[in-house]
Amino acid sequence: MTSFHPGGTTPLLLLMGVVASVAVHQLLLWFGRRREALHPWVVTWCATSLVVLGSHYLQTVAETPEGAVLGARLAWISSLSLITMMIGLSHALARRPLPRPLLAGLV
């Protein structure tokens, strides 16, 4: 059995902090410019990335198999939500809003 190495999780925690700060920055930008549709999708991208990093962190520090399975399930959930987020982000970059019925169907 391998021993727990706390230094191995430091890069994940650092990346989680960077992603969270970018999300907060984009959220504050969006509060100032409600007309732009790009900022909410960037915040969604950051949230999805934060869940991916968090799931890898859970898998790294898991002491039981159930903890590792929880991290793997979170990774799958975030990858499935990535589909909706990429469609919305591409529409925002093209400056064509995603129709609400299509967004509701995707979610």
Side-chain angles (χ1 to χ4, degrees):
M1 182 157 163
T2 61
S3 63
F4 175 69
H5 186 271
T9 59
T10 303
L12 286 174
L13 293 174
L14 181 66
L15 284 173
M16 289 170 72
V18 169
V19 169
S21 66
V22 169
V24 168
H25 181 256
Q26 290 294 318
L27 196 61
L28 292 175
L29 283 175
W30 181 55
F31 284 146
R33 303 178 211 162
R34 292 275 187 174
R35 289 181 152 174
E36 292 191 32
L38 184 61
H39 297 297
W41 290 108
V42 173
V43 171
T44 307
W45 177 303
C46 289
T48 304
S49 299
L50 196 59
V51 171
V52 168
L53 290 170
S55 66
H56 287 300
Y57 179 78
L58 280 175
Q59 289 176 336
T60 303
V61 299
E63 295 180 1
T64 62
E66 290 81 18
V69 168
L70 175 65
R73 287 183 180 162
L74 282 174
W76 274 106
I77 289 169
S78 64
S79 66
L80 290 175
S81 67
L82 192 66
I83 297 167
T84 304
M85 190 270 315
M86 286 301 296
I87 292 170
L89 185 61
S90 62
H91 276 271
L93 287 171
R95 299 208 186 271
R96 293 184 182 229
L98 190 63
R100 297 275 180 189
L102 178 61
L103 180 62
L106 287 171
V107 171

